[in-house]
C-alpha cells in the first residue's frame, strides 16, 4: 500500500499488549475454557517461538560463545535438605496481610509503599509493618473495611509429596530458583568437564513461587522460567567478576533490542539484600502506566554462602584445589539472573508501535507494528503470493520451501485475503520481511521484499533472497 504520511505515536500499554498477545496467539490465559486459573498463562504458536528464540539467544550468548561457561539442566524436584541448606525454608518469605472481611490477601510491604508512601517498606520486620498499619488504621483496599490482620511471614515455596500422602510420603518442594541445581552439582560439573576457576554454569528452567500478589500479565507469575548463571571465582576476584557480568548484562539488554533509556540499574541497600547476597543490583525496566520501574533482572554476589552451606549440610568437601597456587578454597559466586517471562514482556512492550497512516485515497489508518529484533521475531519472513492464482502460488510455495530449508528458520506462508491485510498481520506479529510474488515475478524471476519497519520495498532476484535475508536477520 502506498502511503502519503506516517506519524508515530507513543503506544505500548499493558492492555494493548495483553490484547495483541491473545489475538495473535502469543499468550492465552491458562485453563481458559474453565474461566481461567488466576495468574497462569499458556504460550500459543507465536509465543512459544518468541520464548524459544529468547532462550536460544541467551544460551548461545552466554554458554556456547564463552569458553569459560558450561551448561546444566537440573531437575525441579530436589532433596528437601537442599532448601534447608540454601536458607529458603527459613528465609524465602513475604510479609502477608489478610482482610478478615473479604478474605483478600496483600503483601504488607506493598501496602506500606503504595498506600502510605513508605519507600523502604521491604526492609521492615513484620512487627514494624503491623505497627505502621495499625497506626495508620488502614482500610482494606478491596472492601474498605478496617479489618486487616497483623503482618506475618509466608513461605513462598510450593510443596508436594512423593509417594502416597501419608506418614511415609516425602515432602518435597518445587524449586523456587534454578540456582541450587548448579550448586548441588558443582562437584560433578568440576569432575567431568575440564573447567577451572574462574568458570560459570548456565541453566534455563522452570521455577515456582507461591506469590501473594501475582499479576500485571506475565510480570509476576506462579510458574516462571529463569535463565541463570552461577559464576565461580577466586574470593579476591569476585568484585572484578561482578563488574564484568554487569557489562555483559547490558550487552544482553542491547542484544534483545531494548531501548537503554527504559532500563536502569539500582543497587540494593543493606537491609534489602537477600540472605545469601553481599551485593545485589537490579536491572529495572520502566513499565507503562502505574507500574513504573520494576525488577527485570538481578546481579548478585552470593559469596561462598551456598557452597559453604551445602558443604556443611551434606558433609561433602566442596573446596576447589587450585593446582597452580597449591591451595584449597571455596569459590565465591557471581549470579546474573534473567526471567524469561519478563524478557518476553519487555521485548513486546518495547517493540510495540502504532503509526497513524493515510493511504493514497486519503483514508486514515492505524498500523500496529511489533518492531522485534529480527533474531527474536517468531517468523523471520513471510511469503505472500499477490493473488491466489496457481501460477503465483506454485512459485510462492517453492520459494517458501527453499527459504525454510536454506535459512533453517521459521518462515510464514499466507495466500488468504488482500495483500494490505496480510502485510498488517505480519506487521502486528513482528515479521521483519514480506516477500511478494506477483505477475512480474513470472517475467523477471524477482520478488518484492517489504521491510516491516520502513515499509520500503525492494526488488530482489529469487536466487538472491536467501542471502538478502540472512544478512539482515543476523
Ligand atoms: N537465583 C536468584 C533469584 O531467583 P530473584 O530476583 O528472586 O533471584 C530472578 O529472581 C529473576 O527471576 C528476576 O529478576 C525476574 O526476572 C524473575 N522472577 C522472579 N520472580 C518472578 C515471578 N514471580 N514471575 C516472573 N518472573 C519472576
Amino acid at each position: 500500500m502506498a502511503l502519503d504520511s506516517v506519524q508515530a505515536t507513543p503506544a505500548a500499554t499493558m492492555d494493548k499488549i495483553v490484547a495483541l498477545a491473545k489475538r495473535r496467539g502469543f499468550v492465552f490465559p491458562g485453563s481458559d475454557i474453565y474461566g481461567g486459573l488466576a495468574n497462569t498463562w499458556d504460550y500459543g504458536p507465536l509465543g512459544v517461538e518468541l520464548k524459544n528464540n529468547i532462550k536460544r539467544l541467551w544460551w548461545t550468548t552466554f554458554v556456547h560463545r564463552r569458553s569459560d561457561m558450561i551448561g546444566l539442566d537440573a531437575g525441579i524436584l530436589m532433596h528437601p535438605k537442599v532448601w534447608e541448606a540454601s536458607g529458603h525454608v527459613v528465609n524465602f518469605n513475604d510479609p502477608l496481610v489478610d482482610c478478615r472481611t473479604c478474605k483478600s490477601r496483600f503483601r504488607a510491604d506493598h501496602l506500606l509503599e503504595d498506600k502510605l508512601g513508605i519507600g523502604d517498606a521491604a526492609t521492615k520486620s513484620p512487627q514494624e509493618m503491623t505497627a505502621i498499619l495499625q497506626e495508620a488504621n488502614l482500610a482494606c483496599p478491596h472492601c474498605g473495611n478496617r479489618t486487616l490482620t497483623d503482618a506475618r511471614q509466608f513461605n513462598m515455596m510450593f510443596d508436594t509429596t512423593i509417594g502416597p500422602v501419608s506418614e511415609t510420603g516425602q515432602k518435597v518442594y518445587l524449586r523456587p530458583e534454578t540456582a541450587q541445581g548448579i550448586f548441588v552439582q558443582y562437584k560433578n560439573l568440576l569432575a567431568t568437564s575440564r573447567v577451572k576457576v574462574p568458570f560459570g554454569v548456565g541453566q534455563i528452567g522452570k521455577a515456582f513461587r507461591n506469590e501473594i500478589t501475582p499479576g500485571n500479565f506475565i510480570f509476576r507469575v506462579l510458574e516462571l522460567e529463569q535463565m541463570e548463571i552461577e559464576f565461580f571465582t577466586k574470593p579476591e576476584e569476585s568484585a572484578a567478576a561482578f563488574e564484568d557480568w554487569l557489562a555483559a548484562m547490558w550487552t544482553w539488554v542491547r542484544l534483545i533490542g531494548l531501548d537503554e533509556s527504559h532500563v536502569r540499574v539500582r543497587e540494593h541497600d543493606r537491609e534489602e539484600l537477600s540472605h545469601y547476597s553481599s551485593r545485589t543490583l537490579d536491572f529495572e525496566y520502566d513499565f507503562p502506566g502505574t507500574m513504573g520501574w520494576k525488577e527485570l533482572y538481578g546481579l548478585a554476589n552470593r559469596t561462598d554462602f551456598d557452597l559453604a552451606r551445602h558443604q556443611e549440610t551434606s558433609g561433602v568437601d566442596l573446596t576447589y584445589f587450585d593446582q597452580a597456587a597449591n591451595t584449597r578454597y571455596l569459590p565465591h559466586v557471581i549470579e546474573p539472573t534473567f526471567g524469561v517471562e519478563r524478557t518476553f514482556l519487555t521485548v513486546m512492550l518495547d517493540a510495540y508501535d502504532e503509526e497513524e497512516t493515510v493511504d493514497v485515497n486519503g483514508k486514515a489508518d492505524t498500523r500496529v507494528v511489533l518492531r522485534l529484533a529480527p533474531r527474536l521475531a517468531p517468523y523471520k519472513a513471510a511469503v505472500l503470493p499477490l493473488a491466489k492464482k496457481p501460477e503465483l502460488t506454485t512459485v510462492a510455495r517453492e520459494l517458501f520451501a527453499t527459504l525454510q530449508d536454506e535459512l533453517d528458520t521459521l518462515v510464514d506462508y499466507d495466500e488468504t485475503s488482500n495483500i494490505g491485510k496480510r502485510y498488517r498481520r505480519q506487521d502486528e506479529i513482528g515479521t521483519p520481511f514480506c516477500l511478494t510474488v506477483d505477475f512480474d515475478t513470472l517475467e523477471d524471476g524477482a520478488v518484492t521484499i517489504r521491510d516491516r519497519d520502513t515499509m520500503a520495498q525492494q526488488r530482489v532476484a529469487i536466487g538472491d533472497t536467501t542471502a538478502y535475508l540472512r544478512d539482515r536477520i543476523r
Side-chain angles (χ1 to χ4, degrees):
M1 184 187 293
L3 295 160
D4 294 334
S5 69
V6 174
Q7 198 192 346
T9 55
T13 65
M14 200 64 97
D15 288 348
K16 286 180 185 174
I17 296 299
V18 176
L20 184 143
K22 182 161 188 195
R23 187 169 68 247
R24 292 301 188 189
F26 282 91
V27 185
F28 305 125
S31 313
D32 209 6
I33 61 167
Y34 289 98
L37 175 68
N39 304 297
T40 64
W41 301 92
D42 295 335
Y43 290 78
L46 298 187
V48 65
E49 296 301 333
L50 175 53
K51 216 175 179 204
N52 284 342
N53 289 346
I54 289 169
K55 290 190 277 184
R56 196 176 303 116
L57 183 64
W58 188 91
W59 194 261
T60 310
T61 306
F62 292 122
V63 181
H64 286 179
R65 294 254 167 92
R66 291 183 60 129
S67 54
D68 57 355
M69 288 285 300
I70 51 177
L72 177 72
D73 184 11
I76 288 167
L77 301 179
M78 302 176 78
H79 198 290
K81 282 215 164 108
V82 169
W83 306 107
E84 284 169 30
S86 70
H88 283 78
V89 171
V90 174
N91 295 309
F92 197 56
N93 300 315
D94 268 345
L96 171 74
V97 165
D98 288 305
C99 172
R100 288 196 191 87
T101 311
C102 70
K103 311 293 177 217
S104 295
R105 297 198 134 170
F106 306 97
R107 282 261 302 259
D109 52 333
H110 289 179
L111 283 183
L112 262 58
E113 277 164 21
D114 301 344
K115 303 294 171 198
L116 302 175
I118 296 173
D120 61 348
T123 65
K124 303 204 178 298
S125 69
Q127 292 75 15
E128 288 170 319
M129 293 188 200
T130 301
I132 296 169
L133 288 170
Q134 283 174 352
E135 165 95 34
N137 195 18
L138 193 73
C140 167
H142 192 241
C143 71
N145 287 298
R146 298 190 189 280
T147 48
L148 293 178
T149 61
D150 292 353
R152 66 190 161 88
Q153 294 290 21
F154 169 79
N155 192 284
M156 291 162 67
M157 283 196 290
F158 280 105
D159 60 53
T160 187
T161 309
I162 295 180
V165 186
S166 69
E167 303 91 73
T168 56
Q170 188 184 19
K171 178 176 165 181
V172 289
Y173 298 100
L174 305 188
R175 66 180 175 193
E177 61 168 6
T178 58
Q180 293 304 322
I182 299 176
F183 297 127
V184 169
Q185 289 298 349
Y186 152 84
K187 210 175 156 68
N188 281 334
L189 290 164
L190 261 182
T192 55
S193 41
R194 284 159 303 149
V195 284
K196 286 191 167 61
V197 170
F199 75 97
V201 184
Q203 179 170 215
I204 301 178
K206 294 263 187 185
F208 299 82
R209 295 183 180 189
N210 202 352
E211 298 276 3
I212 298 166
T213 51
N216 284 318
F217 190 32
I218 54 172
F219 174 77
R220 185 167 287 129
V221 284
L222 310 176
E223 176 183 342
L224 57 132
E225 247 180 313
Q226 292 184 318
M227 307 182 283
E228 294 202 297
I229 293 162
E230 307 305 322
F231 195 79
F232 299 89
T233 73
K234 283 184 181 170
E236 63 274 22
E237 289 173 2
S238 69
F242 191 96
E243 297 305 324
D244 291 347
W245 279 105
L246 175 59
M249 290 179 82
W250 272 116
T251 305
W252 167 258
V253 165
R254 287 187 283 272
L255 202 58
I256 57 174
L258 295 187
D259 181 335
E260 281 180 56
S261 71
H262 297 164
V263 181
R264 73 177 184 192
V265 169
R266 185 181 66 80
E267 177 119 26
H268 283 206
D269 51 34
R270 247 161 53 88
E271 290 74 21
E272 200 188 344
L273 289 174
S274 302
H275 61 277
Y276 52 73
S277 177
S278 68
R279 184 182 180 200
T280 297
L281 300 180
D282 277 354
F283 276 69
E284 295 186 328
Y285 180 86
D286 192 8
F287 288 89
T290 52
M291 263 186 90
W293 293 99
K294 288 273 180 308
E295 179 185 345
L296 169 61
Y297 302 140
L299 173 63
N301 185 337
R302 293 182 79 128
T303 67
D304 60 357
F305 177 87
D306 300 272
L307 289 182
R309 294 293 293 262
H310 286 305
Q311 178 168 264
E312 194 186 320
T313 311
S314 67
V316 175
D317 179 4
L318 295 179
T319 53
Y320 175 79
F321 179 62
D322 184 334
Q323 261 179 336
N326 198 24
T327 52
R328 278 196 170 275
Y329 59 88
L330 273 182
H332 280 214
V333 173
I334 302 303
E335 179 193 65
T337 175
F338 308 71
V340 175
E341 288 76 8
R342 291 186 191 178
T343 308
F344 189 110
L345 178 56
T346 51
V347 156
M348 293 274 283
L349 283 164
D350 248 49
Y352 185 92
D353 198 6
E354 286 173 6
E355 282 176 356
E356 297 308 325
T357 63
V358 180
D359 67 22
V360 277
N361 303 317
K363 205 169 150 233
D365 190 17
T366 303
R367 181 173 91 108
V368 173
V369 52
L370 213 49
R371 301 187 194 280
L372 291 172
R375 53 168 73 87
L376 295 184
Y379 294 117
K380 306 292 180 249
V383 178
L384 316 172
L386 186 66
K388 205 173 168 179
K389 297 257 191 283
E391 57 271 41
L392 298 188
T393 55
T394 309
V395 178
R397 281 191 177 280
E398 246 173 57
L399 174 60
F400 167 61
T402 307
L403 289 178
Q404 275 207 312
D405 212 29
E406 291 183 353
L407 289 172
D408 195 20
T409 185
L410 203 61
V411 177
D412 198 10
Y413 175 85
D414 188 3
E415 58 184 31
T416 59
S417 74
N418 72 49
I419 192 74
K421 275 200 184 142
R422 281 182 278 161
Y423 281 155
R424 286 291 192 265
R425 176 176 181 277
Q426 297 298 336
D427 288 343
E428 231 188 5
I429 63 176
T431 309
F433 301 100
C434 286
L435 289 77
T436 305
V437 174
D438 55 24
F439 291 101
D440 290 342
T441 307
L442 307 178
E443 306 297 323
D444 65 4
V447 293
T448 300
I449 302 190
R450 172 183 175 275
D451 181 292
R452 173 197 69 198
D453 295 334
T454 61
M455 292 188 285
Q457 304 198 351
Q458 203 177 334
R459 207 73 191 154
V460 177
I462 285 185
D464 296 336
T465 50
T466 298
Y468 180 98
L469 294 173
R470 193 173 279 145
D471 279 355
R472 285 156 181 83
I473 289 165
R474 289 224 177 115

